[in-house]
Amino acid sequence: MLEIRELSKAFGRGTVSEVQALSRFNLAVADGELISIIGSNGSGKSTLMSCLAGAHLPDSGAIILNQEDITTWPEHKRASLISRVFQDPLSGTCAAMTVEENLALAHRRGRPRGFRRGIAREERELFRAALAPLGLGLEKRLTDQVGLLSGGQRQALTLIMATLIRPALLLLDEHTAAQDPKTASRTMSLTMDLVEKNRLTTLMITHNLAQAIDYGHRLVMMGQGRVFWDFPAEEKARLTVKSLLERFLEASRETGVGLSDSLLLA
Amino acid sequence: MSFYAFFGAINQGLVYGLMALGVFLTFRVLDFPDLTVDGSLPLGAAVSAMCVLSGVDPYLSLIPAFLAGFLAGAITGFLSAKLGILHLLASILTMSALYSINLRVMGNRPNLSLIGQDSVLTPLREWGLSSTLAGVALFLVAIILAVAFLAWLSRTEFGQALQATGENPRMITSLGVNIKVTIILGVGLSNALVALTGAFVAQSQGLADVSLGVGTIVVGLASVVVGETLFGGRRSMPIRLVAVVLGSIIYRLAVALALRLKIGSFSFNPSDLNLITSILVVGALMFPRLRKAQAASRAQAGKMNRA
Ligand SMILES: Nc1ncnc2c1ncn2[C@@H]1O[C@H](COP(=O)(O)OP(=O)(O)OP(=O)(O)O)[C@@H](O)[C@H]1O
Ligand SMILES: [Mg+2]
């Protein structure tokens, strides 16, 4: 169970370029629930994830995960509970290290690093089994340097890394954005499998309205750092891309934010 | 080149290879440009010399030298990672402070003579080896141990986290590693190796001097880039470590040759070394960029031809 209470975060406070990225944001996420989050560029989606993961400390508000107040925990400590796929496909992996080395780093998420072997022999089997469902053939490339993979492949690898150890909260920031349509839909169904199988509490940001409607248990639209619409499962089921786009335009008009090209195309 | 000069260069290349491994650790693995080494080399020399002069076994004196270097590096890491001072500036601050500290360690003397004292080379010399060859033998063993240790470390969980800290701090933080800790330990280990070099140099030369460390960082960088240029950059860690050591040896051989060079009435003298080394490093650092620029201009020309 994740509870986000009155979370606020401003950048550049006191300067001309001050931005209120999150403004008294409230959301409660049940265990095993996947919420799709949409919203125009700059509406604070990534900032929300950074605050949850601990990369940014919020100005005010509270984050309660499984009854524990983690608002001020440092990022590396939160890693034992939270895993994350970054919006930038290159941010989640180490290019100079191999596929298996990256996976091994993720397999030790939240554990102290000692002087045992960085990759245990028996881990490789586990890694291959985890990579195979992606259908990208990465399970045959364990010893390739990650820098040799494409952006979409690296993003897929990051998803596997994020779920290798079950997180209490999974954060996905446009985790299929760098992938072609076929790979993206495959990654999405794998995401849903992983979420269902492990009952992962998940926040998923996407700019793909159809994806937001088709997948997940709830749909949240953000605007100006707040929840603008929150569609529960039954309402979400009745949404169409067209009706959602209308709501989106409405939200953009009210919040005075322009609409992104990526959304119009979606 | 004479037999003597050749083995002298090998000797230097091996002992300073330890220092180059330390520089490799900060510059290449941690992506942390660290100038502390100019201070931690004489620190190791001073600590070891003081120990030997007060009757400590020369081999045992390596331990406090190693630890002192570790501490110096850890302070630089602390200034940067915990206090948020820019890494380069943090290392300059420690280096500058070490100048005063090194003088203190040596009892406010600018140098200490170890002539007539036992050294790490004494047992080997008792077997009849010249001091140069004794140095070659001892430092060869030391460098093999250091390379083996670092190669082993690079495969441990900690070593993997260290590499990721240098390459993608954001990612490794999100995987639960406190990069402040890895930076402090990594820069510490680097300077421990450098201080160990200082201890070996002081004992084999019979002299510890506060100015021993001037230009250390440039020589270390020269060894790293020479090794990478000759043996290629993107390879497995053990090969990269060996390349650094070979880079250090080749650098010393090149210097020995340069010093014997005579062009008309002009010749280099040892004090020109820092200048030559700096030029060498600039050249080696520019080399990959030049190659890239060349490839780019070729591609550009290709495009124009097609158009
Ligand atoms: N580190 C930062 N420093 C200053 N301003 C920032 C920073 N990060 C985000 N912002 C600002 O905060 C606002 C929200 O940014 P955020 O990245 O959360 O948007 P987003 O909803 O993820 O957008 P997108 O859909 O483009 O990814 C933007 O106006 C952005 O300029
Ligand atoms: Mg974003």
Side-chain angles (χ1 to χ4, degrees), chain A residues 197-248:
Chain A
K197 200 172 72 196
N198 305 309
R199 273 182 60 78
L200 299 177
T201 309
T202 308
L203 295 182
M204 178 183 82
I205 296 173
T206 176
H207 279 307
N208 184 327
L209 298 188
Q211 199 179 58
I213 294 171
D214 292 345
Y215 298 97
H217 310 108
R218 228 166 107 194
L219 197 161
V220 163
M221 188 189 295
M222 277 183 73
Q224 289 206 318
R226 283 177 290 120
V227 174
F228 206 86
W229 293 106
D230 185 346
F231 302 101
E234 323 82 66
E235 269 186 62
K236 180 165 104 51
R238 286 196 296 273
L239 284 172
T240 60
V241 171
K242 188 158 166 289
S243 66
L244 188 57
L245 186 58
E246 273 159 18
R247 304 278 187 111
F248 195 94

Side-chain angles (χ1 to χ4, degrees), chain B residues 107-155:
Chain B
N108 291 316
R109 283 163 291 186
N111 50 50
L112 291 175
S113 169
L114 295 172
I115 305 291
Q117 301 285 334
D118 271 358
S119 82
V120 283
L121 300 181
T122 309
L124 290 134
R125 303 207 46 193
E126 279 166 2
W127 294 343
L129 288 177
S130 75
S131 63
T132 305
L133 285 182
V136 169
L138 178 67
F139 302 145
L140 184 65
V141 172
I143 205 103
I144 288 173
L145 289 177
V147 167
F149 169 72
L150 291 175
W152 166 79
L153 188 69
S154 77
R155 290 179 186 208

Side-chain angles (χ1 to χ4, degrees), chain B residues 189-277:
Chain B
L189 177 59
S190 161
N191 281 279
L193 287 169
V194 176
L196 194 59
T197 305
F200 278 137
V201 169
Q203 290 198 32
S204 59
Q205 292 183 345
L207 181 75
D209 193 304
V210 270
S211 64
L212 194 62
V214 176
T216 300
I217 185 59
V218 184
V219 173
L221 263 184
S223 309
V224 170
V225 293
V226 166
E228 281 175 356
T229 309
L230 294 179
F231 302 97
R234 285 267 150 262
R235 288 169 182 276
S236 72
M237 194 52 77
I239 295 179
R240 293 175 74 189
L241 293 168
V242 172
V244 170
V245 175
L246 293 178
S248 171
I249 292 171
I250 290 166
Y251 164 77
R252 290 289 163 181
L253 288 171
V255 164
L257 283 175
L259 290 180
R260 294 160 53 87
L261 203 67
K262 276 208 175 56
I263 308 163
S265 63
F266 175 83
S267 66
F268 291 112
N269 49 42
S271 58
D272 295 327
L273 200 64
N274 283 9
L275 175 67
I276 303 171
T277 309

